[in-house]
Amino acid sequence: NQVAGRDPLRLVRAGVLLKAAALDVELGMHAEAEAKLRQSLAIAEERWGKDSPRTLAPVAELARLLQSVGRVQEADAMCSAAERMADKEEQKQQLAKTRRLIDADLAAGK
């Protein structure tokens, strides 16, 4: 019974990590936010697979975070992965904002 109950708890943990990362970003704690986002992503990928649209939230947040701290090449890769997963118009619009920032950074040679 415990084994069956672990999966839902891990998914709750992934969601909590995602929200905690958002708070870390607001507080300027970027390294901590990145660690939480990567943990959330690992849990989601383990459950649904690497290319599942259900992993979009942590991938997109990682892209935003990496862009904001100047890690543009990594942000570009994450944003590309998120763009492939996005299947809703609202998701695509949010990612388009991130993409514009990344493309501007790349054009500026960052």
Side-chain angles (χ1 to χ4, degrees):
N1 190 25
Q2 284 185 347
V3 172
R6 262 188 220 157
D7 197 45
L9 290 177
R10 285 184 54 78
L11 297 178
V12 168
R13 182 168 189 250
V16 169
L17 286 165
L18 197 62
K19 291 188 185 300
L23 291 174
D24 286 345
V25 168
E26 286 183 33
L27 296 171
M29 299 169 54
H30 298 116
E32 293 84 351
E34 181 180 355
K36 287 177 176 97
L37 288 170
R38 291 195 185 276
Q39 286 179 333
S40 179
L41 178 58
I43 292 167
E45 286 180 344
E46 179 182 302
R47 173 65 176 98
W48 291 300
K50 185 176 175 115
D51 296 322
S52 171
R54 298 185 104 170
T55 65
L56 176 64
V59 173
E61 290 304 318
L62 268 168
R64 288 183 193 102
L65 174 64
L66 293 168
Q67 184 279 327
S68 74
V69 297
R71 291 165 55 191
V72 183
Q73 297 297 329
E74 291 172 84
D76 184 39
M78 283 288 175
C79 191
S80 292
E83 288 167 332
R84 287 190 298 275
M85 289 181 231
D87 58 359
K88 295 181 179 141
E89 191 56 37
E90 182 180 341
Q91 295 168 336
K92 292 175 184 179
Q93 289 174 1
Q94 286 295 321
L95 287 168
K97 293 176 188 176
T98 303
R99 171 55 62 200
R100 284 191 294 274
L101 293 170
I102 292 168
D103 287 348
D105 286 348
L106 289 170
K110 293 184 181 180

XYZ file of all heavy atoms in Angstrom:
833
model
N 0.821 -1.209 0.000
C 0.000 0.000 0.000
C 0.856 1.261 0.000
O 0.544 2.225 -0.656
C -0.961 -0.047 1.180
C -2.005 1.055 1.121
O -2.299 1.541 0.036
N -2.547 1.415 2.250
N 1.942 1.244 0.748
C 2.803 2.424 0.788
C 3.424 2.720 -0.571
O 3.557 3.866 -0.945
C 3.910 2.246 1.816
C 3.415 2.421 3.235
C 4.569 2.358 4.212
O 5.671 1.953 3.867
N 4.297 2.750 5.442
N 3.790 1.683 -1.296
C 4.386 1.898 -2.605
C 3.404 2.620 -3.516
O 3.752 3.558 -4.211
C 4.843 0.553 -3.229
C 5.276 0.742 -4.657
C 5.962 -0.056 -2.399
N 2.146 2.193 -3.488
C 1.134 2.839 -4.329
C 0.917 4.284 -3.913
O 0.613 5.130 -4.733
C -0.182 2.065 -4.251
N 1.083 4.599 -2.637
C 0.869 5.946 -2.153
C 2.020 6.892 -2.391
O 1.884 8.098 -2.269
N 3.184 6.373 -2.714
C 4.361 7.221 -2.890
C 4.279 8.122 -4.110
O 4.692 9.267 -4.059
C 5.612 6.352 -3.019
C 6.331 6.237 -1.733
C 7.644 5.556 -1.927
N 7.758 4.685 -0.770
C 8.474 3.628 -0.696
N 9.192 3.245 -1.699
N 8.518 2.919 0.392
N 3.782 7.591 -5.203
C 3.748 8.359 -6.446
C 2.949 9.648 -6.308
O 3.456 10.708 -6.644
C 3.231 7.493 -7.594
C 3.553 8.091 -8.941
O 4.696 8.545 -9.143
O 2.645 8.116 -9.785
N 1.726 9.600 -5.790
C 0.987 10.859 -5.621
C 1.707 11.845 -4.698
O 1.683 13.049 -4.939
C -0.351 10.411 -5.034
C -0.520 9.005 -5.501
C 0.875 8.438 -5.515
N 2.344 11.343 -3.661
C 3.076 12.235 -2.758
C 4.256 12.881 -3.458
O 4.563 14.057 -3.227
C 3.533 11.487 -1.502
C 2.426 11.082 -0.543
C 2.991 10.283 0.623
C 1.670 12.294 -0.042
N 4.940 12.149 -4.314
C 6.056 12.727 -5.069
C 5.552 13.819 -6.009
O 6.207 14.841 -6.194
C 6.804 11.645 -5.854
C 7.671 10.781 -4.948
C 8.495 9.758 -5.690
N 9.337 10.277 -6.746
C 10.506 10.901 -6.571
N 10.957 11.116 -5.371
N 11.219 11.297 -7.598
N 4.373 13.605 -6.583
C 3.813 14.616 -7.479
C 3.418 15.867 -6.707
O 3.606 16.980 -7.193
C 2.621 14.038 -8.244
C 2.964 12.870 -9.170
C 1.704 12.334 -9.839
C 4.003 13.255 -10.190
N 2.906 15.694 -5.505
C 2.610 16.849 -4.651
C 3.906 17.576 -4.334
O 3.981 18.805 -4.394
C 1.884 16.404 -3.352
C 1.835 17.539 -2.339
C 0.484 15.905 -3.674
N 4.953 16.818 -4.032
C 6.257 17.423 -3.741
C 6.756 18.234 -4.932
O 7.283 19.342 -4.779
C 7.272 16.343 -3.378
C 8.619 16.914 -3.020
C 9.519 15.864 -2.382
N 10.701 16.521 -1.877
C 11.912 16.380 -2.397
N 12.103 15.571 -3.417
N 12.941 17.022 -1.896
N 6.579 17.705 -6.138
C 7.013 18.429 -7.336
C 6.294 19.767 -7.440
O 6.909 20.787 -7.765
C 6.761 17.583 -8.587
N 5.004 19.780 -7.149
C 4.235 21.018 -7.194
C 4.669 22.006 -6.124
O 4.771 23.209 -6.366
N 4.939 21.495 -4.931
C 5.403 22.352 -3.833
C 6.767 22.948 -4.177
O 7.015 24.135 -3.936
C 5.437 21.566 -2.501
C 6.154 22.345 -1.413
C 4.025 21.209 -2.065
N 7.642 22.138 -4.746
C 8.962 22.637 -5.149
C 8.836 23.747 -6.183
O 9.561 24.746 -6.133
C 9.818 21.493 -5.704
C 10.371 20.513 -4.676
C 10.877 19.252 -5.375
C 11.471 21.152 -3.856
N 7.915 23.591 -7.107
C 7.685 24.602 -8.140
C 7.255 25.930 -7.513
O 7.769 26.987 -7.856
C 6.635 24.082 -9.123
C 6.508 24.754 -10.460
C 7.779 24.633 -11.275
C 5.348 24.146 -11.227
N 6.336 25.859 -6.571
C 5.861 27.079 -5.905
C 6.954 27.688 -5.019
O 7.112 28.913 -4.974
C 4.601 26.780 -5.105
C 3.408 26.479 -5.989
C 2.137 26.367 -5.211
C 0.975 25.961 -6.063
N 0.665 26.847 -7.138
N 7.701 26.849 -4.330
C 8.790 27.344 -3.478
C 9.867 28.015 -4.330
O 10.451 29.031 -3.928
C 9.384 26.200 -2.662
N 10.110 27.476 -5.507
C 11.095 28.085 -6.413
C 10.658 29.476 -6.827
O 11.482 30.391 -6.916
C 11.305 27.195 -7.639
N 9.362 29.650 -7.067
C 8.854 30.974 -7.441
C 9.111 31.979 -6.319
O 9.493 33.131 -6.579
C 7.370 30.898 -7.768
N 8.938 31.551 -5.083
C 9.227 32.434 -3.948
C 10.716 32.745 -3.864
O 11.108 33.881 -3.593
C 8.747 31.793 -2.647
C 7.236 31.679 -2.482
C 6.892 30.894 -1.221
C 6.590 33.048 -2.442
N 11.551 31.731 -4.100
C 12.999 31.953 -4.097
C 13.393 32.993 -5.142
O 14.230 33.860 -4.881
C 13.755 30.646 -4.354
C 13.759 29.708 -3.159
O 13.438 30.159 -2.035
O 14.090 28.520 -3.350
N 12.795 32.917 -6.314
C 13.090 33.893 -7.376
C 12.730 35.293 -6.895
O 13.513 36.232 -7.066
C 12.350 33.538 -8.687
C 12.424 34.682 -9.687
C 12.924 32.265 -9.296
N 11.560 35.435 -6.292
C 11.140 36.748 -5.788
C 12.109 37.302 -4.752
O 12.310 38.514 -4.668
C 9.734 36.664 -5.186
C 8.638 36.545 -6.215
C 7.250 36.542 -5.587
O 7.075 37.217 -4.554
O 6.375 35.863 -6.128
N 12.721 36.405 -3.988
C 13.664 36.814 -2.950
C 15.093 36.947 -3.474
O 16.001 37.250 -2.708
C 13.627 35.813 -1.790
C 12.303 35.723 -1.027
C 12.318 34.557 -0.053
C 12.020 37.034 -0.309
N 15.279 36.696 -4.767
C 16.609 36.802 -5.352
C 17.503 35.617 -5.042
O 18.720 35.687 -5.216
N 16.913 34.531 -4.611
C 17.667 33.322 -4.258
C 17.673 32.384 -5.471
O 17.020 31.350 -5.486
C 17.037 32.678 -3.027
C 17.058 33.588 -1.812
S 16.044 33.019 -0.413
C 16.634 31.373 -0.133
N 18.426 32.782 -6.485
C 18.364 32.093 -7.772
C 18.927 30.679 -7.739
O 18.371 29.782 -8.377
C 19.053 32.947 -8.840
C 18.380 34.262 -9.022
N 18.997 35.456 -8.748
C 17.124 34.576 -9.409
C 18.157 36.442 -8.975
N 17.010 35.937 -9.375
N 20.008 30.463 -7.024
C 20.591 29.116 -6.959
C 19.620 28.149 -6.287
O 19.447 27.005 -6.737
C 21.927 29.143 -6.230
N 18.989 28.610 -5.230
C 18.017 27.773 -4.534
C 16.818 27.486 -5.423
O 16.302 26.366 -5.456
C 17.570 28.443 -3.231
C 18.654 28.563 -2.185
C 19.565 29.782 -2.351
O 19.481 30.487 -3.384
O 20.385 30.015 -1.448
N 16.364 28.504 -6.143
C 15.239 28.321 -7.061
C 15.587 27.302 -8.139
O 14.773 26.424 -8.451
C 14.849 29.657 -7.695
N 16.780 27.423 -8.696
C 17.182 26.479 -9.739
C 17.194 25.049 -9.217
O 16.714 24.125 -9.883
C 18.554 26.840 -10.306
C 18.979 25.887 -11.397
C 20.341 26.191 -11.998
O 20.959 27.206 -11.651
O 20.788 25.372 -12.845
N 17.732 24.854 -8.023
C 17.784 23.504 -7.449
C 16.379 22.934 -7.278
O 16.132 21.766 -7.612
C 18.516 23.529 -6.110
N 15.458 23.748 -6.799
C 14.087 23.281 -6.614
C 13.414 22.982 -7.951
O 12.690 21.992 -8.086
C 13.281 24.314 -5.830
C 13.660 24.369 -4.360
C 12.903 25.451 -3.632
C 13.225 25.436 -2.152
N 14.249 26.380 -1.758
N 13.643 23.837 -8.938
C 13.057 23.591 -10.259
C 13.600 22.311 -10.875
O 12.853 21.542 -11.490
C 13.319 24.780 -11.183
C 12.516 26.038 -10.857
C 13.027 27.225 -11.680
C 11.034 25.816 -11.102
N 14.878 22.070 -10.713
C 15.471 20.842 -11.265
C 14.938 19.602 -10.539
O 14.713 18.564 -11.165
C 16.984 20.914 -11.245
C 17.508 21.952 -12.246
C 18.985 21.825 -12.521
N 19.453 22.892 -13.382
C 19.376 22.895 -14.709
N 18.810 21.882 -15.349
N 19.853 23.917 -15.413
N 14.706 19.710 -9.229
C 14.108 18.585 -8.496
C 12.678 18.336 -8.979
O 12.283 17.181 -9.190
C 14.093 18.870 -6.994
C 15.429 18.759 -6.325
C 15.329 19.091 -4.834
O 14.457 19.850 -4.405
N 16.224 18.519 -4.055
N 11.925 19.404 -9.124
C 10.550 19.282 -9.607
C 10.522 18.643 -10.994
O 9.715 17.749 -11.266
C 9.888 20.669 -9.639
O 8.578 20.571 -10.133
N 11.423 19.081 -11.853
C 11.503 18.528 -13.201
C 11.865 17.048 -13.173
O 11.269 16.248 -13.897
C 12.514 19.316 -14.043
C 12.740 18.823 -15.466
C 11.445 18.808 -16.257
C 13.791 19.684 -16.150
N 12.806 16.679 -12.335
C 13.217 15.266 -12.245
C 12.043 14.381 -11.826
O 11.839 13.293 -12.379
C 14.387 15.115 -11.278
N 11.273 14.836 -10.861
C 10.105 14.073 -10.406
C 9.090 13.945 -11.545
O 8.572 12.860 -11.807
C 9.467 14.740 -9.172
C 10.411 14.626 -7.969
C 8.106 14.102 -8.859
C 10.025 15.501 -6.787
N 8.811 15.048 -12.222
C 7.845 15.022 -13.326
C 8.316 14.125 -14.468
O 7.531 13.354 -15.035
C 7.595 16.445 -13.828
N 9.597 14.219 -14.810
C 10.129 13.381 -15.895
C 10.090 11.909 -15.516
O 9.812 11.052 -16.364
C 11.552 13.800 -16.241
C 11.636 15.088 -17.002
C 13.053 15.508 -17.336
O 14.018 14.983 -16.735
O 13.199 16.376 -18.199
N 10.365 11.617 -14.260
C 10.327 10.227 -13.803
C 8.914 9.658 -13.939
O 8.730 8.510 -14.327
C 10.780 10.164 -12.342
C 10.771 8.778 -11.743
C 11.189 8.820 -10.286
O 12.303 9.293 -9.993
O 10.378 8.385 -9.429
N 7.924 10.482 -13.654
C 6.537 10.030 -13.696
C 5.974 9.976 -15.112
O 5.313 9.020 -15.496
C 5.675 10.958 -12.818
C 4.189 10.711 -12.899
C 3.840 9.324 -12.347
N 2.412 9.107 -12.342
C 1.745 8.441 -13.290
N 2.372 7.945 -14.317
N 0.443 8.282 -13.195
N 6.209 11.034 -15.905
C 5.533 11.152 -17.191
C 6.444 11.060 -18.410
O 5.960 11.058 -19.538
C 4.765 12.476 -17.255
C 3.600 12.498 -16.332
C 2.531 11.660 -16.341
C 3.369 13.404 -15.265
N 1.659 11.989 -15.335
C 2.155 13.061 -14.664
C 4.096 14.488 -14.753
C 1.627 13.749 -13.576
C 3.567 15.172 -13.669
C 2.354 14.800 -13.095
N 7.739 11.063 -18.218
C 8.660 11.000 -19.350
C 9.206 12.372 -19.690
O 8.579 13.398 -19.430
N 10.362 12.373 -20.298
C 11.106 13.609 -20.555
C 10.373 14.601 -21.449
O 10.453 15.805 -21.247
C 12.465 13.254 -21.153
C 13.361 14.441 -21.344
C 14.730 14.036 -21.838
C 15.534 15.252 -22.134
N 16.685 15.447 -21.319
N 9.662 14.126 -22.438
C 9.029 15.025 -23.408
C 7.533 15.230 -23.173
O 6.842 15.765 -24.035
C 9.263 14.505 -24.831
C 10.737 14.506 -25.187
O 11.432 15.455 -24.787
O 11.194 13.554 -25.843
N 7.050 14.825 -22.018
C 5.630 14.966 -21.730
C 5.249 16.425 -21.509
O 5.971 17.164 -20.831
C 5.270 14.170 -20.468
O 3.948 14.469 -20.062
N 4.113 16.856 -22.043
C 3.634 18.216 -21.771
C 3.429 18.487 -20.280
O 3.415 19.624 -19.848
C 2.297 18.287 -22.524
C 2.402 17.245 -23.580
C 3.263 16.150 -23.004
N 3.312 17.430 -19.485
C 3.119 17.605 -18.043
C 4.400 18.080 -17.351
O 4.354 18.456 -16.185
C 2.619 16.309 -17.430
C 1.260 15.938 -18.030
C 0.696 14.766 -17.366
N -0.363 15.252 -16.477
C -1.204 14.468 -15.869
N -1.117 13.169 -16.014
N -2.146 14.972 -15.100
N 5.511 18.088 -18.073
C 6.762 18.613 -17.501
C 6.996 20.066 -17.917
O 8.019 20.647 -17.579
C 7.973 17.755 -17.935
O 8.146 17.850 -19.341
C 7.823 16.299 -17.511
N 6.043 20.631 -18.631
C 6.208 21.983 -19.176
C 6.489 23.038 -18.110
O 7.372 23.879 -18.284
C 4.972 22.377 -19.979
C 4.963 23.809 -20.519
C 6.090 24.018 -21.516
C 3.630 24.126 -21.156
N 5.764 23.031 -17.005
C 5.907 24.100 -16.004
C 7.338 24.229 -15.480
O 7.912 25.324 -15.534
C 4.918 23.907 -14.869
N 7.960 23.148 -15.000
C 9.332 23.339 -14.516
C 10.323 23.680 -15.629
O 11.259 24.454 -15.412
C 9.684 22.014 -13.826
C 8.668 21.030 -14.273
C 7.463 21.803 -14.698
N 10.115 23.158 -16.824
C 11.011 23.475 -17.940
C 10.902 24.961 -18.297
O 11.911 25.658 -18.462
C 10.714 22.586 -19.174
C 11.528 23.031 -20.378
C 11.007 21.125 -18.866
N 9.681 25.457 -18.395
C 9.471 26.866 -18.736
C 10.023 27.782 -17.647
O 10.650 28.808 -17.948
C 7.985 27.131 -18.953
N 9.809 27.425 -16.398
C 10.335 28.243 -15.303
C 11.852 28.232 -15.280
O 12.489 29.257 -14.997
C 9.762 27.780 -13.958
C 8.289 28.082 -13.797
C 7.945 29.549 -13.973
O 8.685 30.417 -13.475
O 6.932 29.837 -14.631
N 12.442 27.092 -15.571
C 13.907 27.033 -15.667
C 14.409 27.934 -16.790
O 15.410 28.641 -16.622
C 14.375 25.589 -15.899
C 14.694 24.790 -14.657
C 14.847 23.310 -14.984
C 15.946 25.311 -13.970
N 13.728 27.933 -17.923
C 14.128 28.798 -19.037
C 14.100 30.261 -18.608
O 15.053 31.015 -18.869
C 13.210 28.582 -20.243
N 13.034 30.662 -17.918
C 12.919 32.056 -17.456
C 14.024 32.405 -16.465
O 14.644 33.465 -16.551
C 11.550 32.282 -16.825
C 10.426 32.311 -17.815
C 9.075 32.610 -17.143
N 8.013 32.314 -18.076
C 7.261 31.217 -18.054
N 7.412 30.320 -17.099
N 6.328 31.019 -18.966
N 14.242 31.510 -15.517
C 15.262 31.752 -14.498
C 16.650 31.847 -15.124
O 17.409 32.782 -14.839
C 15.241 30.641 -13.445
C 16.355 30.704 -12.401
C 16.234 31.958 -11.549
C 16.359 29.457 -11.550
N 16.985 30.900 -15.979
C 18.309 30.889 -16.598
C 18.533 32.138 -17.441
O 19.619 32.716 -17.436
C 18.487 29.610 -17.421
C 18.536 28.322 -16.590
C 18.412 27.102 -17.496
C 19.800 28.248 -15.757
N 17.498 32.582 -18.144
C 17.625 33.813 -18.925
C 17.866 35.000 -18.002
O 18.719 35.842 -18.267
C 16.361 34.040 -19.767
C 16.420 35.240 -20.696
C 16.128 36.569 -20.019
O 15.319 36.615 -19.084
N 16.780 37.618 -20.461
N 17.154 35.050 -16.898
C 17.256 36.203 -15.995
C 18.614 36.306 -15.313
O 19.005 37.392 -14.904
C 16.140 36.175 -14.951
O 16.385 35.177 -13.974
N 19.320 35.186 -15.203
C 20.641 35.219 -14.562
C 21.775 35.184 -15.591
O 22.935 35.002 -15.237
C 20.815 34.098 -13.504
C 19.816 34.270 -12.373
C 20.717 32.717 -14.119
N 21.426 35.345 -16.873
C 22.443 35.464 -17.904
C 22.988 34.161 -18.454
O 23.971 34.160 -19.186
N 22.365 33.062 -18.144
C 22.793 31.761 -18.673
C 21.944 31.474 -19.924
O 21.100 30.610 -19.951
C 22.673 30.702 -17.598
C 23.703 30.945 -16.499
C 23.470 30.192 -15.239
N 23.359 28.753 -15.418
C 22.931 27.950 -14.436
N 22.615 28.435 -13.247
N 22.832 26.648 -14.642
N 22.238 32.274 -20.951
C 21.370 32.357 -22.117
C 21.365 31.073 -22.943
O 20.303 30.663 -23.431
C 21.756 33.572 -22.992
C 20.821 33.726 -24.161
C 21.750 34.836 -22.152
N 22.497 30.433 -23.112
C 22.531 29.203 -23.909
C 21.677 28.117 -23.265
O 20.914 27.426 -23.948
C 23.977 28.712 -24.088
C 24.865 29.672 -24.855
C 24.403 29.887 -26.290
O 23.836 29.013 -26.925
N 24.656 31.078 -26.804
N 21.780 27.982 -21.956
C 20.967 26.998 -21.242
C 19.486 27.380 -21.315
O 18.622 26.516 -21.485
C 21.394 26.906 -19.780
C 22.766 26.298 -19.574
C 23.190 26.411 -18.120
O 22.796 25.535 -17.336
O 23.896 27.386 -17.790
N 19.208 28.669 -21.173
C 17.835 29.148 -21.265
C 17.256 28.849 -22.639
O 16.095 28.440 -22.758
C 17.777 30.648 -20.978
N 18.056 29.046 -23.664
C 17.617 28.782 -25.038
C 17.224 27.319 -25.203
O 16.167 27.013 -25.768
C 18.744 29.166 -26.005
C 18.348 29.019 -27.458
O 17.198 29.348 -27.816
O 19.210 28.592 -28.252
N 18.051 26.418 -24.693
C 17.748 24.984 -24.803
C 16.470 24.627 -24.042
O 15.624 23.883 -24.542
C 18.928 24.160 -24.289
N 16.321 25.168 -22.835
C 15.122 24.898 -22.035
C 13.879 25.474 -22.713
O 12.829 24.835 -22.747
C 15.254 25.490 -20.631
C 16.118 24.706 -19.710
S 15.305 23.163 -19.225
C 16.621 22.437 -18.287
N 14.001 26.679 -23.242
C 12.859 27.312 -23.903
C 12.452 26.511 -25.142
O 11.261 26.312 -25.389
C 13.184 28.757 -24.259
S 11.740 29.711 -24.779
N 13.422 26.030 -25.892
C 13.117 25.210 -27.072
C 12.370 23.944 -26.671
O 11.395 23.551 -27.331
C 14.400 24.846 -27.819
O 14.967 25.999 -28.392
N 12.811 23.316 -25.591
C 12.136 22.109 -25.101
C 10.698 22.445 -24.687
O 9.755 21.718 -25.016
C 12.908 21.503 -23.930
N 10.533 23.558 -23.974
C 9.195 23.968 -23.536
C 8.294 24.281 -24.727
O 7.116 23.916 -24.731
C 9.301 25.176 -22.605
N 8.848 24.936 -25.728
C 8.061 25.266 -26.920
C 7.552 24.006 -27.616
O 6.431 23.986 -28.131
C 8.888 26.114 -27.881
C 9.112 27.521 -27.383
C 10.181 28.284 -28.145
O 11.123 27.656 -28.704
O 10.095 29.516 -28.171
N 8.354 22.954 -27.618
C 7.925 21.691 -28.237
C 6.786 21.047 -27.452
O 5.957 20.348 -28.021
C 9.098 20.715 -28.343
C 10.108 21.077 -29.417
C 11.123 19.957 -29.650
N 11.924 19.642 -28.486
C 13.050 20.282 -28.130
N 13.502 21.278 -28.871
N 13.717 19.923 -27.061
N 6.751 21.280 -26.143
C 5.734 20.663 -25.286
C 4.428 21.447 -25.234
O 3.378 20.873 -24.976
C 6.258 20.556 -23.855
C 7.330 19.557 -23.655
S 7.773 19.591 -21.916
C 9.524 19.755 -22.059
N 4.501 22.750 -25.420
C 3.326 23.615 -25.232
C 2.231 23.235 -26.220
O 2.469 23.150 -27.416
C 3.721 25.073 -25.398
N 1.041 23.028 -25.679
C -0.067 22.673 -26.556
C -1.277 23.594 -26.372
O -2.278 23.450 -27.058
C -0.476 21.206 -26.366
C -0.883 20.869 -24.938
O -0.835 21.762 -24.066
O -1.235 19.707 -24.687
N -1.164 24.559 -25.481
C -2.253 25.515 -25.263
C -1.776 26.907 -25.661
O -0.617 27.257 -25.493
C -2.685 25.501 -23.804
C -3.279 24.180 -23.396
C -3.726 24.184 -21.965
C -4.340 22.834 -21.651
N -4.002 22.357 -20.355
N -2.696 27.684 -26.176
C -2.344 29.021 -26.666
C -1.734 29.893 -25.568
O -0.768 30.614 -25.808
C -3.571 29.706 -27.275
C -3.239 30.963 -28.036
C -2.220 30.768 -29.155
O -2.240 29.719 -29.824
O -1.385 31.678 -29.345
N -2.284 29.835 -24.377
C -1.751 30.639 -23.266
C -0.302 30.262 -22.956
O 0.548 31.124 -22.711
C -2.612 30.448 -22.017
C -2.151 31.284 -20.843
C -3.014 31.082 -19.618
O -4.163 30.601 -19.740
O -2.533 31.411 -18.530
N -0.009 28.968 -22.987
C 1.366 28.501 -22.768
C 2.289 29.054 -23.851
O 3.395 29.525 -23.561
C 1.421 26.970 -22.785
C 0.669 26.309 -21.666
C 0.502 24.820 -21.894
O 0.543 24.329 -23.034
N 0.301 24.080 -20.815
N 1.828 28.988 -25.084
C 2.636 29.467 -26.207
C 2.897 30.961 -26.096
O 4.001 31.429 -26.393
C 1.944 29.127 -27.527
C 1.910 27.633 -27.794
C 1.116 27.306 -29.046
C 1.025 25.805 -29.220
N 0.264 25.418 -30.396
N 1.907 31.718 -25.646
C 2.085 33.163 -25.495
C 3.096 33.485 -24.393
O 3.930 34.373 -24.557
C 0.743 33.833 -25.200
C -0.186 33.853 -26.386
C -1.562 34.400 -26.039
O -1.831 34.794 -24.919
N -2.454 34.398 -27.030
N 3.014 32.772 -23.277
C 3.969 32.991 -22.189
C 5.384 32.648 -22.646
O 6.340 33.371 -22.350
C 3.600 32.141 -20.965
C 2.403 32.647 -20.214
C 2.646 34.013 -19.591
O 3.719 34.295 -19.080
N 1.661 34.873 -19.659
N 5.512 31.553 -23.358
C 6.826 31.153 -23.859
C 7.355 32.126 -24.904
O 8.566 32.330 -24.999
C 6.776 29.733 -24.428
C 6.676 28.641 -23.366
C 6.329 27.313 -24.007
C 7.966 28.546 -22.560
N 6.464 32.735 -25.665
C 6.899 33.709 -26.672
C 7.585 34.901 -26.007
O 8.575 35.432 -26.540
C 5.713 34.169 -27.516
N 7.111 35.295 -24.835
C 7.757 36.386 -24.090
C 9.171 35.981 -23.677
O 10.124 36.760 -23.830
C 6.947 36.740 -22.840
C 5.598 37.343 -23.126
C 4.842 37.577 -21.830
C 3.415 37.986 -22.089
N 2.643 38.115 -20.841
N 9.290 34.771 -23.159
C 10.611 34.277 -22.759
C 11.519 34.165 -23.974
O 12.689 34.549 -23.928
C 10.471 32.907 -22.058
O 9.580 33.050 -20.941
C 11.816 32.388 -21.581
N 10.976 33.668 -25.072
C 11.759 33.512 -26.307
C 12.289 34.856 -26.785
O 13.448 34.966 -27.194
C 10.895 32.835 -27.375
C 11.484 32.790 -28.768
C 12.852 32.156 -28.859
N 12.849 30.768 -28.461
C 13.961 30.123 -28.080
N 15.134 30.735 -28.047
N 13.904 28.866 -27.726
N 11.469 35.901 -26.736
C 11.925 37.232 -27.174
C 13.097 37.719 -26.322
O 14.066 38.277 -26.849
C 10.768 38.237 -27.138
C 9.790 38.080 -28.290
C 8.812 39.238 -28.394
N 7.907 39.328 -27.258
C 6.755 38.658 -27.144
N 6.381 37.831 -28.112
N 5.988 38.817 -26.093
N 13.024 37.518 -25.026
C 14.120 37.929 -24.138
C 15.400 37.152 -24.454
O 16.492 37.722 -24.518
C 13.725 37.722 -22.671
C 12.614 38.610 -22.142
C 12.166 38.140 -20.765
C 13.070 40.059 -22.093
N 15.252 35.854 -24.644
C 16.412 35.023 -24.960
C 17.017 35.430 -26.299
O 18.229 35.586 -26.423
C 16.020 33.531 -24.947
C 15.685 33.076 -23.522
C 17.130 32.663 -25.556
C 15.015 31.728 -23.430
N 16.171 35.606 -27.312
C 16.665 35.988 -28.633
C 17.370 37.335 -28.597
O 18.390 37.528 -29.259
C 15.516 35.997 -29.645
C 15.049 34.598 -30.011
O 15.748 33.611 -29.672
O 13.969 34.481 -30.624
N 16.854 38.269 -27.794
C 17.506 39.574 -27.657
C 18.874 39.421 -26.999
O 19.852 40.056 -27.424
C 16.638 40.536 -26.846
N 18.961 38.578 -25.988
C 20.240 38.325 -25.334
C 21.229 37.682 -26.305
O 22.417 38.055 -26.342
C 20.065 37.426 -24.119
C 19.443 38.140 -22.934
O 19.351 39.387 -22.942
O 19.035 37.442 -21.975
N 20.751 36.717 -27.066
C 21.629 36.041 -28.037
C 22.112 37.026 -29.092
O 23.295 37.014 -29.468
C 20.908 34.868 -28.682
C 20.646 33.653 -27.781
C 19.727 32.666 -28.467
C 21.947 32.992 -27.360
N 21.227 37.893 -29.574
C 21.595 38.882 -30.573
C 22.615 39.876 -30.025
O 23.474 40.371 -30.762
C 20.354 39.621 -31.074
N 22.538 40.123 -28.717
C 23.479 41.053 -28.067
C 24.801 40.365 -27.713
O 25.697 41.010 -27.163
C 22.838 41.644 -26.817
N 24.883 39.082 -28.012
C 26.133 38.371 -27.755
C 26.322 37.918 -26.325
O 27.442 37.666 -25.896
N 25.256 37.824 -25.600
C 25.355 37.382 -24.193
C 25.486 35.892 -24.092
O 25.123 35.150 -24.931
C 24.143 37.865 -23.398
C 24.113 39.370 -23.253
C 22.944 39.779 -22.383
C 22.880 41.280 -22.231
N 21.784 41.723 -21.417
